[in-house]
Amino acid sequence: MAGILNKLIAIISFYLYANVPLFGRDVEFQEKELVFISNFISSIQSYFHPAFDWIPSINISSETPSDVFSAKDLLSIANRFSGKLLLREEMKIEEVLWDELTETGMLQAVEAIESRWWGWRCRRCGNKLRRMFAEIPCARCNQTHIYCRNCVEMGRVLECQQLYVWTGPPPKWPVQEEACRWDGELTHAQQQASDRIRGVMERGAGELLTWAVCGAGKTEMLFAGIGCSLEAGKRVCLATPRTDVVRELLPRFRQAFPGTSISALYGGSEDKAADGQLVLATTHQLLRFARAFDILIIDEIDAFPYHNDPSLPFATSRAAKIGASRIYLTATPRKEQRCRLEHGQLDCVFVPIRFHGCLLPVPRLIFSNKMKKDLQKNMPPVAFFDWLRQRRHPERQLLVFVPYVELAGKMEKAIGPLLRKEWGELAIASVHAADEDREKKVQQFRNRELQLLITTTILERGVTFPSVDVVVLDSGHEVFDEAALVQIAGRAGRSPDDPDGEVLFFHAGKTRSMVAAVRSIKEMNNRAVKF
């Protein structure tokens, strides 16, 4: 679509400057008409591909005089607000300081909701769907205004409100000679990917898809490139769709980059300033950034909610600086990425083998004609208990995936007494996205304080447990698409000490997603053997 629009604009521009009477009218009238058409087409283009040309650029030197704060304080403020896109109430600063920053132009206001002939667009989340806008009386100006319903949970954005962007002196980060202190060794496959990633980060203004199987060690492949970027004074963000992943990555990155200021941003996180040179964040947190990062890494680009929430790619594009490097990580690229690869629009590095050199466990499909009835009773099928009694490695922990939240808690209560009666005291729990003890339970499972954990798809990716068997109940349910099933299977066999955990899909009938997931895993294993 963008290509067609660009061609139309080029044709119009040619006739405009050649003064060719397209419509048989006088040249002056024709020029006005062509300008109108050109603007009209540009507006259509902006609907599909926003340019972010409304973001003001940094244009004030660090020597700007001020009676309120010193140059040192100014740099501290720059580190705190540079690259942010915030409402006034989100900026926790005193009124005197606020007045100074706005009067000197270090904080500039932009309209929160832009109006176009085709409707509105929220500049914070990119929403342009009419049904996601509504009207509300405004207490400030006693008028009725449009507000965005799509991002209202972050604080209501009204038509009359403004978002603020830092245009003062740019932040300055400490110079480090050796930012990365990770002393591990990469495999040959990992090293190849690491070199490609580092090259893109050093060059800038490039994209790279890192297609690596579950357990390939994607995080370690990033370390060298991130280290060089930090040493060059660049700001780096690694964004991932899941809160659990941010929590798991934080201690690893603090250990690998001990001299770097690191911010961890997710719903409920303690870090409110978000002023680190290295930022680990959920993708939703990017809604508060604009032209902030020299390096932007999107982990699990195929995962929910990133791949089906238009506001997140919008926020990602806006959070990257002009000329930024973008690295995408995935084990299961979606149709969009595969299409770009096929058309040569996206560079890719492929890592088909796990870091310990062993193949991915191939799921076993187990049919149960009473699956639906058993689940209605909050019980697994009989075949599950038959397998449980005959497990080859009963010492492994067991991770059981169910398709919806209500089933997780009810099944815990239903099977807990049965399992304890047969196997003795067995620590069992359930977890889901809205569970207040979610973080605690996941850590207990990681510490082997729990033997069996029933979970929804919140643990399908990004978390590592060294020795588990994995079970999916009702694997034919619509929530378990191909990507989800591949990722779930990837939770098993991640440790070199136990690389062959079992994966079982209990189903009431095969689905395309199940068959495709098994085929995809086998194809990865075939590539790994050839590699």
Side-chain angles (χ1 to χ4, degrees):
M1 182 67 182
I4 295 174
L5 290 172
N6 287 334
K7 288 179 181 178
L8 286 173
I9 293 172
I11 292 171
I12 288 173
S13 299
F14 169 77
Y15 282 106
L16 175 62
Y17 291 108
N19 288 327
V20 177
L22 272 178
F23 311 108
R25 302 188 178 104
D26 61 87
V27 174
E28 183 180 354
F29 184 84
Q30 176 190 323
E31 287 183 354
K32 293 180 179 179
E33 194 168 51
L34 289 174
V35 169
F36 170 79
I37 295 174
S38 179
N39 291 337
F40 176 75
I41 294 177
S42 297
S43 182
I44 295 176
Q45 190 176 30
S46 73
Y47 180 87
F48 297 98
H49 301 283
F52 305 116
D53 51 3
W54 48 267
I55 301 175
S57 58
I58 290 176
N59 53 21
I60 299 177
S61 72
S62 58
E63 280 72 37
T64 300
S66 172
D67 298 328
V68 177
F69 39 73
S70 64
K72 182 179 179 181
D73 292 334
L74 185 58
L75 287 177
S76 175
I77 297 170
N79 285 12
R80 182 178 175 185
F81 292 116
S82 178
K84 301 285 183 61
L85 185 68
L86 301 172
L87 295 167
R88 168 64 182 99
E89 51 265 32
E90 293 177 307
M91 309 182 78
K92 308 300 182 183
I93 54 178
E94 297 177 357
E95 203 63 34
V96 174
L97 178 57
W98 170 262
D99 292 339
E100 178 74 7
L101 294 176
T102 52
E103 288 173 6
T104 57
M106 296 187 199
L107 280 175
Q108 289 194 24
V110 296
E111 292 180 345
I113 297 177
E114 61 177 321
S115 178
R116 296 276 187 167
W117 65 267
W118 39 258
W120 305 279
R121 176 186 276 124
C122 174
R123 283 178 167 168
R124 181 168 68 181
C125 71
N127 167 48
K128 54 183 184 287
L129 299 176
R130 282 185 175 270
R131 60 183 173 82
M132 295 305 295
F133 288 99
E135 292 185 344
I136 190 173
C138 177
R140 284 189 292 268
C141 48
N142 295 319
Q143 295 182 19
T144 298
H145 289 305
I146 294 293
Y147 77 96
C148 178
R149 295 169 53 221
N150 189 59
C151 57
V152 70
E153 291 184 359
M154 300 176 63
R156 184 181 289 120
V157 171
L158 285 167
E159 189 179 5
C160 65
Q161 278 185 301
Q162 295 175 316
L163 295 166
Y164 290 89
V165 179
W166 176 260
T167 54
K172 291 184 179 180
W173 309 106
V175 176
Q176 301 182 63
E177 294 184 0
E178 188 180 354
C180 181
R181 303 295 177 85
W182 183 70
D183 58 0
E185 294 185 6
L186 298 177
T187 65
H188 177 64
Q190 287 178 315
Q191 189 63 58
Q192 285 185 328
S194 176
D195 292 342
R196 289 283 303 279
I197 291 170
R198 177 175 175 173
V200 173
M201 289 183 178
E202 289 179 337
R203 289 193 305 271
E207 292 180 293
L208 179 68
L209 177 69
T210 304
W211 185 349
V213 298
C214 298
K218 293 188 288 291
T219 303
E220 288 75 15
M221 299 176 206
L222 297 170
F223 284 163
I226 292 176
C228 290
S229 300
L230 296 174
E231 291 163 12
K234 296 180 179 180
R235 195 178 191 192
V236 181
C237 175
L238 191 160
T240 179
R242 304 294 173 90
T243 295
D244 300 283
V245 180
V246 178
R247 292 192 184 115
E248 182 169 292
L249 289 177
L250 182 59
R252 296 170 64 184
F253 273 82
R254 281 178 173 165
Q255 185 176 13
F257 301 95
T260 302
S261 57
I262 302 177
S263 294
L265 310 178
Y266 53 86
S269 63
E270 297 179 358
D271 191 339
K272 305 301 181 184
D275 56 358
Q277 184 180 4
L278 173 58
V279 175
L280 308 178
T282 56
T283 47
H284 277 96
Q285 294 296 321
L286 296 182
L287 291 168
R288 291 191 170 96
F289 288 91
R291 298 287 186 251
F293 304 108
D294 304 281
I295 310 293
L296 193 55
I297 305 162
I298 306 298
D299 188 20
E300 307 290 3
I301 194 172
D302 63 291
F304 175 86
Y306 188 87
H307 80 277
N308 64 350
D309 185 346
S311 67
L312 299 181
F314 173 89
T316 298
S317 297
R318 190 190 58 213
K321 290 182 179 179
I322 298 173
S325 302
R326 305 185 194 195
I327 309 296
Y328 310 124
L329 309 177
T330 182
T332 49
R334 297 277 176 175
K335 183 178 180 180
E336 177 186 351
Q337 289 90 45
R338 291 176 186 264
C339 184
R340 291 188 65 193
L341 289 175
E342 291 173 2
H343 289 83
Q345 299 172 348
L346 182 63
D347 288 336
C348 178
V349 57
F350 190 80
V351 185
I353 192 167
R354 289 181 153 183
F355 77 95
H356 50 55
C358 297
L359 301 180
L360 297 166
V362 178
R364 288 168 50 200
L365 275 56
I366 301 177
F367 174 74
S368 172
N369 59 354
K370 294 183 179 180
M371 171 73 69
K372 301 297 183 182
K373 291 183 178 180
D374 290 331
L375 293 182
Q376 287 176 358
K377 299 175 184 177
N378 305 314
M379 295 291 290
V382 174
F384 168 79
F385 292 102
D386 293 341
W387 167 78
L388 204 59
R389 295 186 185 96
Q390 302 171 18
R391 285 177 77 192
R392 291 178 296 176
H393 296 278
E395 72 281 2
R396 286 182 186 145
Q397 292 173 281
L398 184 57
L399 198 56
V400 178
F401 286 84
V402 294
Y404 47 92
V405 171
E406 294 81 3
L407 182 58
K410 291 179 179 179
M411 184 171 288
E412 175 195 351
K413 295 178 181 178
I415 69 173
L418 295 177
L419 295 181
R420 294 187 184 99
K421 183 178 180 180
E422 189 162 350
W423 283 281
E425 194 60 32
L426 179 68
I428 178 174
S430 63
V431 66
H432 52 83
D435 192 336
E436 294 181 355
D437 296 324
R438 168 181 170 182
E439 183 178 0
K440 176 183 177 182
K441 291 177 181 178
V442 172
Q443 190 58 48
Q444 286 177 330
F445 192 72
R446 188 174 282 117
N447 296 340
R448 299 188 67 86
E449 297 171 17
L450 295 174
Q451 184 62 24
L452 191 154
L453 184 61
I454 303 171
T455 179
T456 58
T457 54
I458 60 162
L459 297 185
E460 76 177 33
R461 60 180 77 218
V463 291
T464 298
F465 307 113
S467 180
V468 296
D469 286 334
V470 174
V471 167
V472 182
L473 299 179
D474 195 11
S475 57
H477 194 281
E478 60 183 5
V479 303
F480 297 123
D481 61 9
E482 177 189 350
L485 291 173
V486 170
Q487 291 285 352
I488 287 171
R491 297 313 97 201
R494 298 179 73 91
S495 169
D497 299 323
D498 187 17
D500 57 351
E502 290 188 76
V503 180
L504 293 93
F505 293 169
F506 289 90
H507 65 94
K510 291 182 182 179
T511 62
R512 290 182 179 179
S513 295
M514 292 162 55
V515 174
V518 173
R519 181 174 62 246
S520 176
I521 290 171
K522 289 181 176 179
E523 288 176 355
M524 293 177 188
N525 286 342
N526 290 335
R527 289 195 183 190
V529 171
K530 295 177 182 178
F531 189 86

